[in-house]
């Protein structure tokens, strides 16, 4: 315990010295996020300084072992770091599908060589990854995917199409589910890693209702993928895929384990009073009930992470977090729109920083779709946790 | 502190679960006493067993002869009470009254606590003065009289009011009805003159009273805590009770949910067990996640309360509101998914619905506590 307290005060000092004031403000949206990668550029000096300080300390991936670019923190220390960063409102230094999704899968299924090579690059923000799971005919029913990798000796030749590939046009590499055996639905998928600059890959952006275009259709036309570039075993990529989805769901659910015991309705109420006039009592009641749900949900996030550490959590519990967390986040943004009144409708004004409330509101609708829909979460909970019968 | 039970607490939970499932079961307690039209609404034999198990004095400090445990531990017992719908004075006596008495001076503690710990006596509290919980407003008055007080007024929704050996009454010793200050807590013994009860059986078969104080004469040593300065102690007692009600509510929700999920796995219609229908699966899964969230809120609030955190009141209200909503959902879905059989007295699911309604109302419903969350958060 004393050690943890020392760690806490050292962390506090380090953050004080290294986290620039500009990086202690809430992330407005994707404009404020640093994703790393070959073509990355920093929005400003503060973002660069903050990223580099964290990278050098291993704080882009604090809980990963040191030899793979992390800081080797214990779960308790990682929690302290999260809490201390939360206390000053520090932005994440690096956002990355490599950190949230591929990294954990590599830590579990990768070879030593893959770990040293890829994890280090992820930790240092050198390679930006995208996720090639969904296909036009395979969304919720992911295992029906058709993109095919044909054995050509020392490489596969991949043909097919992916869809909803977030940031495919900006990513350097893709982790991808490819069918390598047509005779077995589950045991005929291989989890491949390959360079987006390979010949035969093209991407086409898809515009979202938020007016932004963070994702693409991705086409593979006779793409050569060297045989060594797979994770786990050939034809057993579904195991890796499922494991990774668990992490993706946790990430989307926003379970950060922080001790969130403050209501957020107060900020929305203030906002309403400033811009839309005095808060009406029914809206106040909705905010209050939202706070009840949000504060209680934060407790579940904390409990879940505490239980994971000691192996007490049900393995399907991330589905509960994802379901409840994303539905709650949508409700939160509905309320933010309502408290903002007509001001929150503005799509391009300086006042709203380019329509941030409206665009964020629209973006959150994807929370209960991406990474598996709410309906799929409920299916998993009823089958794996409640053990209800049926297909 | 991690948000799960430590080893000692997990052991207590096992013990409590087994004990309550055997001795506190619906068949042995709730139905048994209800069908005999028991005037106390609970079984004294079971209460003696509670004392033997050490439950009665859990929240009483060790210096006063209790076990000196915390709200997490009391909550463990309450959750099992909730799961089995066990009628007992645990919440009113061992949680509410015990918390109030802990704020009394040595003489008061010596006078009242031994009987509570031994299980010989049960106590209750008299707070509400209307059909809705509104402790901000207290109109019952205690006027100075000699070296004591004369208490007048009316209290409603006094659980076990007629059978309790002593009730702790919140009354006004100065100021106006809506004033923060001027509140004093009094210990009023069962045999006090000029006190009368109008006893009623509630929907969940428990017994409560409308109690009238018509110039009840009390000695100076009936005061628990400070004269005129009782609001803080009252709030502490109420928060302890709300947390207790929340813990019991999680048990009610969990019990109703388990019964329902079991039923979904057994009942066949259209040639399938009805648990195969996705329309029902999704509702069951949604209910499950709500129960998990409520459970987490309760243990968080209990830990904050035990740690003396300034956030404890806020989280007690979060827990009470969340549990009220969740248990309400659990019993409504439970009755509905049982189909026609859920409407019968013979099946237990309806008993959960009744208990939930009473618990939801006790010490503030979901709206009351959501409003308090907003106020405590500054909006
Ligand atoms: C913002 C965003 C980012 C994304 N990023 C990526 C990415 O980077 N990489 C990637 O591979 N994919 C990505 N996706 C795709 C995402 O994983 C899929 O959209 C998702 O899995 C749902 O598939 P679908 O869109 O084909 O919907 P469908 O599967 O066609 O579902 C349509 C509706 O039917 C319901 N439904 C389907 N099956 C069932 C069932 N069995 N029971 C009950 N209801 C059912 C669904 O819940 C949904 O409401 C992203 C999606 C979004 C919105
Ligand atoms: C007060 C009362 C009065 C009644 N009076 C009469 C009367 O006068 N005459 C008479 O003949 N009957 C009467 N009934 C019976 C009534 O019609 C049945 O209770 C009703 O049809 C439901 O059947 P069940 O109770 O067997 O429930 P079940 O069919 O077992 O249903 C249990 C649960 O499963 C759900 N469920 C069942 N199948 C599906 C499915 N395919 N998809 C999704 N969900 C499903 C149901 O909606 C329900 O929630 C009465 C019932 C009550 C409660």
């Amino acid at each position: 315990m004393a050690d943890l307290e020392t760690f806490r005060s050292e962390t506090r000092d380090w953050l004080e010295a290294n986290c620039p004031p500009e990086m202690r403000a809430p992330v407005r949206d994707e404009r404020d996020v640093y994703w790393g990668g070959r073509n990355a550029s920093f929005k400003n000096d503060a973002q660069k300084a903050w990223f580099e300080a964290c990278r050098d300390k291993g704080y882009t991936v604090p809980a990963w072992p040191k030899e793979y670019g992390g800081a080797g923190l214990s779960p308790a220390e990682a929690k302290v770091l999260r809490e201390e960063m939360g206390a000053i409102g520090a932005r994440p230094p690096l956002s990355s599908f490599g950190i949230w999704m591929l990294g954990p899968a590599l830590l579990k299924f990768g070879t030593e060589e893959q770990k040293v090579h890829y994890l280090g690059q992820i930790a240092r923000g050198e390679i930006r990854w995208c996720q090639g799971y969904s296909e036009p005919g395979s969304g919720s029913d992911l295992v029906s995917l058709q993109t095919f990798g044909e054995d050509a000796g020392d490489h596969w030749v991949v043909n097919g199409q992916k869809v909803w590939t977030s940031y495919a046009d900006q990513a350097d590499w893709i982790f991808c589910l490819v069918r390598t055996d047509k005779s077995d639905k589950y045991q005929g998928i291989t989890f491949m890693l390959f360079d987006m600059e390979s010949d035969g890959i093209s991407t086409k952006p898809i515009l979202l209702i938020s007016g932004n275009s963070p994702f693409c259709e991705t086409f593979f036309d006779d793409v050569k993928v060297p045989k060594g570039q797979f994770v786990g075993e050939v034809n057993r990529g579904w195991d890796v895929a499922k494991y990774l989805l668990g992490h993706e769901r946790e990430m989307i659910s926003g379970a950060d384990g922080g001790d969130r015991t403050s209501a957020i309705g107060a900020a929305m109420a203030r906002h309403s009073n400033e811009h839309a006039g005095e808060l009406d009592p029914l809206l106040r009641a909705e905010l209050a009930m939202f706070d009840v749900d949000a504060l209680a949900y934060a407790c579940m996030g904390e409990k879940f992470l505490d239980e994971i550490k000691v192996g007490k959590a049900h393995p399907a519990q991330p589905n509960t977090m994802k379901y409840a967390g994303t539905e709650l986040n949508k409700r939160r943004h509905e309320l933010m729109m309502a408290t903002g009144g007509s001001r929150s409708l503005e799509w391009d004004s300086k006042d709203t920083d380019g329509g941030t409330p409206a665009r964020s509101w629209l973006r959150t609708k994807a929370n209960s779709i991406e990474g598996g829909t709410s309906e799929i979460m409920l299916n998993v909970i009823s089958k794996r946790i409640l053990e209800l019968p049926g297909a | 502190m991690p948000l799960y039970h430590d080893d000692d607490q997990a052991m207590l939970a096992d013990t409590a679960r087994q004990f309550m499932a055997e001795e506190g079961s619906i068949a042995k307690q709730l139905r048994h006493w209800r069908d005999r039209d028991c005037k106390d609404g609970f079984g004294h034999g079971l209460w003696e067993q509670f004392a033997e198990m050490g439950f009665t004095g859990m929240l009483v400090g060790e210096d006063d002869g209790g076990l000196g445990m915390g709200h997490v531990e009391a909550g463990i017992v309450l959750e099992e009470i909730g799961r089995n719908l066990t009628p007992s004075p645990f919440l009113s006596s061992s949680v509410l009254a015990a918390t109030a008495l802990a704020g009394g001076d040595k003489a008061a503690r010596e006078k009242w606590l031994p009987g509570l710990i031994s299980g010989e006596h049960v106590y209750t509290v008299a707070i509400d003065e209307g059909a809705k919980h509104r402790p901000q407003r207290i109109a019952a008055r205690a006027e100075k009289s000699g070296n004591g007080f004369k208490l007048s007024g009316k209290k409603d929704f006094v659980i076990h009011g007629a059978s309790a050996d002593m009730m702790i009454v919140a009354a006004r010793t100065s100021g106006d009805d809506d004033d923060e200050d001027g509140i004093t807590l009094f210990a009023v013994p069962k045999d006090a003159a000029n006190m009368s009860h109008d006893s009623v059986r509630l929907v969940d078969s428990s017994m409560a009273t409308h109690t009238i104080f018509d110039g009840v004469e009390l000695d100076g040593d009936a005061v628990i805590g400070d004269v005129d300065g009782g609001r803080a102690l009252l709030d502490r007692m109420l928060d302890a009770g709300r947390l207790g009600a929340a813990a019991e509510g999680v048990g009610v929700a969990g019990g109703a949910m388990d019964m329902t999920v079991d039923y979904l796995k057994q009942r066949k219609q259209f040639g399938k067990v009805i648990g195969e229908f996705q329309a029902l699966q999704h509702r069951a899964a949604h209910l499950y996640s709500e129960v998990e969230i409520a459970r987490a809120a309760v243990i968080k609030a209990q830990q904050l309360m035990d740690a003396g955190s300034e956030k404890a009141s806020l989280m007690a209200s979060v827990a009470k509101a969340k549990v009220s909503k969740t248990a309400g959902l659990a019993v409504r879905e439970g009755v509905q998914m049982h189909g026609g059989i859920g409407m019968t007295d013979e099946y237990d699911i309806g008993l959960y619905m009744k208990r939930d309604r009473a618990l939801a109302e006790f010490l503030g419903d979901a709206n009351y506590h959501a409003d308090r969350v907003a106020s405590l958060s500054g909006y």
Side-chain angles (χ1 to χ4, degrees):
Chain A
M1 251 3 218
D3 282 356
L4 260 196
E5 282 317 303
T6 313
F7 178 74
R8 189 183 291 279
S9 73
E10 283 169 8
T11 302
R12 219 170 264 172
D13 293 345
W14 185 85
L15 286 172
E16 201 41 53
N18 288 284
C19 187
E22 298 93 317
M23 293 295 106
R24 301 183 190 193
V27 174
R28 285 170 304 171
D29 54 35
E30 281 147 12
R31 288 168 294 173
D32 290 334
V33 177
Y34 179 64
W35 289 94
R38 289 198 281 245
N39 304 316
S41 60
F42 294 101
K43 300 284 184 309
N44 52 48
D45 292 346
Q47 194 184 52
K48 180 166 189 278
W50 176 224
F51 165 73
E52 287 174 351
C54 287
R55 178 196 60 197
D56 295 346
K57 185 98 177 153
Y59 279 1
T60 54
V61 285
W64 291 8
K66 283 195 171 141
E67 61 267 37
Y68 308 140
L73 300 190
S74 70
E77 288 168 336
K79 187 174 178 192
V80 168
L81 176 63
R82 264 196 314 269
E83 283 166 4
E84 291 303 318
M85 286 182 61
I88 60 166
R91 289 179 181 175
L94 173 67
S95 294
S96 144
F97 287 7
I99 295 176
W100 301 321
M101 304 188 212
L102 179 60
L106 280 173
L107 280 166
K108 184 161 170 78
F109 294 97
T111 61
E112 185 57 29
E113 214 185 332
Q114 285 174 332
K115 288 183 194 172
V116 172
H117 180 70
Y118 292 114
L119 292 177
Q121 290 183 333
I122 291 170
R124 294 187 299 271
E126 290 163 1
I127 295 279
R128 182 167 177 182
W129 291 86
C130 65
Q131 177 189 36
Y133 272 29
S134 305
E135 299 184 7
S138 306
S140 298
D141 185 17
L142 188 54
V143 77
S144 68
L145 62 93
Q146 298 294 321
T147 293
F148 188 63
E150 190 166 7
D151 195 329
D154 64 342
H155 62 270
W156 286 289
V157 177
V158 175
N159 278 287
Q161 184 196 339
K162 295 287 174 182
V163 72
W164 317 127
T165 334
S166 301
Y167 306 109
D169 52 347
Q170 294 170 56
D172 306 310
W173 277 57
I174 185 166
F175 53 91
C176 203
L177 294 178
V178 178
R179 182 158 300 288
T180 39
D181 181 352
K182 289 183 180 169
S183 67
D184 190 322
K185 209 175 162 191
Y186 286 90
Q187 303 199 1
I189 295 171
T190 301
F191 191 102
M192 294 185 191
L193 311 173
F194 53 98
D195 198 322
M196 290 293 282
E197 280 179 4
S198 314
D199 286 339
I201 299 189
S202 55
T203 62
K204 201 172 125 209
I206 306 172
L207 189 66
L208 296 190
I209 51 178
S210 62
N212 297 332
S213 177
F215 58 35
C216 300
E217 293 178 280
T218 307
F219 302 92
F220 307 112
D221 187 11
D222 284 337
V223 179
K224 278 190 189 174
V225 180
K227 269 282 178 74
Q229 289 174 197
F230 63 91
V231 180
E233 288 172 45
V234 171
N235 288 333
R236 299 302 299 265
W238 187 241
D239 300 340
V240 185
K242 272 192 307 188
Y243 181 77
L244 183 149
L245 274 174
H247 280 270
E248 181 178 6
R249 285 168 188 174
E250 237 168 84
M251 183 267 295
I252 296 171
S253 73
D256 61 7
D259 180 6
R260 273 178 291 160
T261 47
S262 291
I264 56 177
M268 287 197 259
R270 220 169 22 249
H271 185 77
S272 179
N273 287 333
E274 274 167 28
H275 299 289
E278 201 184 317
L279 193 65
D280 85 63
L282 290 180
L283 189 50
R284 176 180 178 275
E286 268 192 74
L287 287 180
M289 210 51 93
F290 174 79
D291 267 334
V292 167
D293 287 333
L295 290 169
Y297 176 78
C299 298
M300 176 161 82
E302 195 182 335
K303 180 165 180 273
F304 171 60
L305 290 184
D306 287 342
E307 287 178 342
I308 279 195
K309 273 182 231 153
V310 290
K312 276 177 191 256
H314 192 290
Q317 200 69 316
N319 298 283
T320 313
M321 296 293 309
K322 205 262 178 191
Y323 167 64
T326 56
E327 295 298 333
L328 200 57
N329 201 39
K330 288 194 295 183
R331 216 169 110 203
R332 171 187 175 147
H333 281 266
E334 291 289 346
L335 285 168
M336 284 168 64
M337 289 299 285
T339 50
S342 65
R343 188 172 177 276
S344 58
L345 303 175
E346 295 178 11
W347 192 246
D348 61 0
S349 65
K350 230 177 126 203
D351 263 5
T352 61
D353 207 3
T356 301
R359 289 172 198 271
S360 305
W361 162 65
L362 290 162
R363 174 63 181 83
T364 57
K365 299 304 175 198
N367 293 165
S368 52
I369 299 171
E370 59 195 325
T373 65
S374 281
E375 289 74 21
I376 298 303
M377 297 307 113
L378 293 172
N379 284 350
V380 176
I381 295 166
S382 44
K383 275 161 203 133
R384 293 197 44 212
I385 300 181
L386 300 178
E387 298 175 345
L388 289 171
Chain B
M1 189 172 286
L3 280 186
Y4 50 77
H5 293 148
D6 66 24
D7 290 346
D8 289 343
Q9 291 162 347
M11 235 164 69
L12 173 66
D14 282 346
T15 310
R17 183 172 273 229
Q18 206 186 340
F19 169 71
M20 222 66 79
E22 279 165 18
E23 303 300 327
S25 71
I26 295 177
K28 265 195 187 167
Q29 298 293 333
L30 179 60
R31 283 187 183 279
H32 177 86
W33 296 115
R34 183 196 71 165
D35 294 349
R36 274 156 196 75
D37 203 18
C38 163
K39 287 295 170 234
D40 287 353
F42 68 92
H44 290 273
L46 183 70
W47 190 238
E48 278 164 29
Q49 285 177 286
F50 265 60
E52 283 159 24
M53 304 283 292
F55 292 165
T56 42
M58 280 178 116
L59 283 180
V60 176
E62 282 173 304
D63 291 349
D64 292 318
L67 293 180
M69 289 180 165
H71 294 277
V72 175
E73 284 82 4
I76 286 170
V77 173
L78 280 157
E79 181 168 347
E80 299 313 317
I81 288 176
R83 195 186 314 280
N84 296 288
L85 307 178
T86 314
S88 102
F90 186 82
L91 183 53
S92 51
S93 203
S94 299
V95 176
L96 280 154
T99 304
L101 287 168
D105 61 21
K106 200 162 172 14
R109 299 204 307 277
E110 277 175 358
K111 178 167 179 193
W112 299 111
L113 287 172
L116 183 154
I117 296 166
S118 71
E120 218 171 303
H121 294 146
V122 302
Y123 306 145
T124 190
V125 297
I127 310 299
D128 291 337
E129 301 180 356
K132 290 305 264 190
H133 181 61
R134 204 182 151 203
Q136 309 88 300
R137 182 174 188 283
I138 294 206
R141 285 195 171 263
E143 316 245 305
K144 274 241 155 64
S145 152
N147 67 349
F149 296 86
K150 229 179 194 172
L151 174 65
S152 297
K154 176 169 179 267
K155 293 285 180 180
D156 296 305
F157 203 14
V158 183
I159 302 296
H160 311 302
S163 51
D165 299 282
M166 179 272 280
M167 73 174 60
I168 292 175
V169 182
R172 177 161 298 291
T173 34
S174 67
D176 295 328
D177 293 358
D178 291 299
D179 281 355
E180 176 96 0
D181 295 333
I183 301 299
T184 308
L185 300 186
F186 293 96
V188 181
K190 186 184 177 69
D191 51 14
N194 302 328
M195 171 166 73
S196 62
H197 306 294
D198 180 5
S199 234
V200 284
R201 189 174 294 285
L202 304 182
V203 65
D204 62 341
S205 303
S206 68
M207 297 300 294
T209 59
H210 303 279
T211 295
I212 292 171
F213 308 93
D214 188 11
V216 175
E217 289 183 26
L218 298 168
D219 289 343
D221 63 9
V223 172
I224 310 281
D226 300 327
V227 174
D228 280 355
R231 181 67 75 175
L233 183 57
L234 172 62
D235 285 346
R236 188 146 18 106
M237 174 184 89
L238 290 175
D239 277 342
R242 289 156 177 162
L243 260 188
E248 186 174 339
V250 164
V252 172
M257 177 175 79
D258 289 349
M259 246 193 110
T260 305
V261 171
D262 279 351
Y263 192 71
L264 295 181
K265 291 176 185 172
Q266 284 161 22
R267 172 71 172 168
K268 276 197 173 158
Q269 289 291 283
F270 303 98
K272 294 179 177 180
V273 290
I274 57 176
E276 287 185 59
F277 296 120
Q278 195 181 52
L280 302 184
Q281 289 183 344
H282 280 195
R283 280 157 51 190
H286 171 71
L287 172 59
Y288 167 82
S289 40
E290 291 296 297
V291 172
E292 283 296 292
I293 295 169
R295 190 185 298 285
V298 169
I299 186 169
K300 178 77 184 182
Q302 289 165 340
Q303 288 184 357
L304 290 173
M305 190 91 165
D306 285 334
S309 161
E310 57 184 26
K311 293 274 189 186
S313 286
L314 175 73
M315 285 309 293
S317 275
V318 167
K320 179 68 165 78
K322 183 72 200 176
V323 170
S324 297
K325 284 273 185 191
T326 302
L329 181 73
V331 299
R332 285 193 306 273
E333 288 290 56
V335 168
Q336 176 64 22
M337 292 194 210
H338 272 78
I341 215 121
M343 293 299 298
T344 62
D345 183 71
E346 189 187 336
Y347 272 74
D348 290 342
I349 191 70
L351 299 175
Y352 282 91
M353 180 168 267
K354 295 177 184 182
R355 180 62 187 149
D356 167 62
R357 187 82 282 282
L359 260 186
E361 211 56 51
F362 190 53
L363 302 179
D365 64 10
N367 291 332
Y368 175 89
H369 285 289
D371 180 72
R372 188 161 177 257
V373 165
S375 301
L376 289 173
S377 308
Y379 68 99

